Amino acid sequence: MAKAKSTTKKVSKISVPSQIINSLSSSSLQSLLLSPKKSAKKKANFFTFSTFTSPKFWLLFLFIFCILGTLALMGFSHIVPIIPFSPKPCLISQNEELISSISSVSVMKVVEESEKNHGAFEKIEEESEFWKQPDGMGFRPCLTFSREYEKTSGFVLKDRSKYLMVVVSGGMNQQRNQIVDAVVIARILGAALVVPILQVNVIWGDESEFSDIFDLEHFKRVLADDVRVVSSLPSTHLMSRPVEEKRTPLHASPQWIRQHYLRRFNRDGVLLLRGLDSRLAKDLPLDLQKLRCKVAFHALRFAPQILELGNKIGERMRSMGRYLALHLRMEKDVWVRTGCLPGLSPEHDLVINEERKQRPELLTARSNMTYHERKLAGLCPLNAMEVTRLLKALGAPKSTRIYWAGGLPFGGKEALLPLIKEFPHFYNKEDLALHGELEPFANSSSVMAAIDYIVSEQSDVFMPSHGGNMGRAIQGHRAYAGHRKYITPNKRQMLPYFLNSSLAKAEFNTIIKDLHRDSLGQPDFRTNKADRDVTKYPVPACMCNRTTAL
């Protein structure tokens, strides 16, 4: 009970969000927040016994109780700070200044509640055509090997005279490709494969070993019927000087490999191969194509600690709803190697041009083409503005949650502003990881790439801003998993329309959708396309339906 003789004027204090403030009239707020104007004498006698027996008192008590209960049910009971209102609480400008003192945590909770209240609107957007998956035409993994292959396996696994050592280079996804080829070459030669050596990456300084990135025991177990995988050379071959081969030609056939390497194997017992990137022919006998798929989609599983963290981050994205994984190829080295410009500013373009002049060996694009020629030929990565326009034209709703994979773009996060402005639900692994989760892997670019791979592969939709090893690997992986949606930007055909400012928005969107109707992850047959990798196009060699059973 309040002190009866106190003459101090008391002001009630309550934390109320601005939405509630604006919905109440001035008289209502005055009656709730300020004591009624009475004489000091009446104030002293206010709390008497008759007060508690008065119906008016209980009506007022019930009214205040209902108001506070309503605020609690609306989710505002968690707002802790006490906001002292002025005698004129309906002045909006003053109240906005007071509301701004609420802690950021409270504001976030209010925003979360607001988003829940808009769930119906979000659901409508979620059901948009953008999330529709392609027709997989009933294709499923189909890795049944021939009897001849199974018969030969017995001789391959028993052989103890030949050991193949390989050194793989590049980034994690490039190393994956070379490991796949190393297994196939070992099978062709009937040799045991020593666990591949990962060369220290010159650009990122990553010193990871095979078992740091991949599950070695799983790798051995899955391939136990195809190739014998050993952790190191046996004692019988430790003194052998491995014959090193650096001149494997592009698109080497199984016949070429046997002809050039078997004689050395019979003489020395150990062969060391380097520079395997894209050396093995893409067009191989069917059993070897299936072996490629078996390595890429089954044997090469990430190490348990990486898989656990990648799955956690993927689950955090999934908990917010469907999401798009976007592989952004906007790092400085990408602009330099492709001979393209980021287009952020003249100063940024100058930096890239100077870097390219100082290190011309980095340029992997056609050197006789100008930047504009490369751009129109579809050889340049899409920048943030172009990615934004493409996604909007394809029907991505503003509520789309985006996981962006890749390194920090040249120009920092400012280079991503067009995307963030249009699609505010924009996250990467650093945003989603808890404090300290990524710290053990801070110096391993391969682990970071592996986490991006896991979260991207699990997404509802995937799109790369430029071709590359990761994009190709995930394209094949998503096809093998049932042809989950994969957007391949049709850069060569769409860029002229990007430059045409006279096109109306509706017309532009229609054109872009038409250009991509066949580029959304539908089954794409590799048949009669010798330059295509089966791990990117697994139909029909590694996948079949009732009409294409092999």
Side-chain angles (χ1 to χ4, degrees), residues 375-392:
K375 185 78 173 176
L376 292 176
L379 300 176
C380 291
L382 298 176
N383 59 35
M385 178 62 74
E386 291 162 344
V387 170
T388 302
R389 293 188 67 189
L390 175 57
L391 289 176
K392 288 178 66 178

Side-chain angles (χ1 to χ4, degrees), residues 358-507:
Q358 294 175 11
R359 302 186 66 186
E361 71 278 5
L362 294 179
L363 181 62
T364 57
R366 302 170 191 172
S367 58
N368 61 335
M369 297 176 69
T370 66
Y371 157 62
H372 294 289
E373 289 172 337
R374 291 191 187 99
K375 185 78 173 176
L376 292 176
L379 300 176
C380 291
L382 298 176
N383 59 35
M385 178 62 74
E386 291 162 344
V387 170
T388 302
R389 293 188 67 189
L390 175 57
L391 289 176
K392 288 178 66 178
L394 293 176
K398 192 175 184 67
S399 63
T400 297
R401 296 158 187 85
I402 297 179
Y403 177 87
W404 68 276
L408 187 66
F410 177 60
K413 285 199 172 182
E414 290 184 10
L416 301 175
L417 288 180
L419 262 166
I420 298 172
K421 182 178 179 181
E422 190 60 38
F423 301 102
H425 303 290
F426 197 77
Y427 314 92
N428 67 355
K429 53 186 173 291
E430 283 80 10
D431 299 321
L432 297 165
L434 300 181
H435 179 71
E437 279 186 322
L438 293 175
E439 190 174 342
F441 313 112
N443 296 322
S444 176
S445 60
S446 293
V447 173
M448 295 300 184
I451 293 171
D452 278 343
Y453 191 102
I454 293 168
V455 182
S456 297
E457 199 279 321
Q458 294 176 0
S459 66
D460 297 277
V461 181
F462 178 84
M463 188 181 88
S465 65
H466 188 57
N469 290 302
M470 179 172 171
R472 287 192 289 270
I474 290 184
Q475 179 175 343
H477 214 135
R478 292 177 75 84
Y480 196 74
H483 291 92
R484 296 161 65 192
K485 190 167 184 177
Y486 181 105
I487 301 172
T488 305
N490 194 338
K491 291 184 288 185
R492 181 176 297 180
Q493 294 188 44
M494 76 181 186
L495 284 176
Y497 297 102
F498 275 56
L499 301 175
N500 187 350
S501 58
S502 64
L503 281 176
K505 180 180 177 181
E507 184 181 1

